[in-house]
Amino acid sequence: MSLSVEAHLRRFQFALAAAVCLGVVAELVLIGHTEGLVQWIPIALSLAATPLFALGYWRPTRAVIRVIRFGVVILIAAGVFGLYEHYEHNLAFELEIRPNATLSDVWMEALKGASPALAPGALALAGLLALAATYKHPATQTPA
């Protein structure tokens, strides 16, 4: 049985989401992002999401799609939390080295700081890709 273009695109989105998660794990391990529990969150979530996305690719049942949707909400929330954490740490550092500076003086420098402020967005990206793959998924449709 040949897959439709839509099915191929869904599979591609699941594969891409899994690849992003594996890339996040590789990058975080290589840079030593393993100091303390909070730094293990993106690694653990990425490792948990990858097999879910594989299930979405190979066996997209109604239950699997529901679990993926629940999981990606957590993944996206973790990405947003990571954005906040990175920015907050950079901002605190900038205000520490420039005690007389105001927020308007250092907000841009905090975006460019030692902790890449936008890097956690990769988790949110993986979640959004997988969420898009579940949109109006045939496995979730009720038969007519």
Side-chain angles (χ1 to χ4, degrees):
M1 180 175 118
S2 178
L3 293 174
S4 68
V5 172
E6 181 181 324
H8 279 292
L9 287 173
R10 288 182 193 284
R11 292 179 91 177
F12 178 72
Q13 287 173 310
F14 281 130
L16 195 55
V20 168
C21 285
L22 292 175
V24 165
V25 170
E27 180 182 19
L28 293 178
V29 168
L30 287 172
I31 66 170
H33 194 274
T34 56
E35 298 171 8
L37 182 63
V38 172
Q39 288 193 354
W40 280 94
I41 291 172
I43 295 171
L45 289 176
S46 293
L47 289 174
T50 302
L52 278 180
F53 300 156
L55 278 174
Y57 184 96
W58 293 109
R59 301 275 187 252
T61 64
R62 177 180 284 235
V64 167
I65 297 302
R66 284 186 177 165
V67 170
I68 289 171
R69 286 178 178 169
F70 176 76
V72 298
V73 168
I74 295 170
L75 204 59
I76 293 167
V80 171
F81 175 71
L83 289 169
Y84 167 77
E85 281 288 302
H86 280 211
Y87 184 75
E88 190 270 329
H89 286 121
N90 289 344
L91 185 61
F93 177 76
E94 288 297 326
L95 290 173
E96 184 178 321
I97 63 171
R98 297 168 57 187
N100 295 331
T102 64
L103 180 61
S104 63
D105 295 333
V106 296
W107 74 272
M108 184 57 88
E109 293 303 316
L111 281 176
K112 302 183 223 174
S115 298
L118 301 178
L123 283 180
L125 170 66
L128 289 170
L129 280 167
L131 186 61
T134 69
Y135 180 72
K136 291 190 177 183
H137 196 287
T140 63
Q141 305 302 311
T142 53

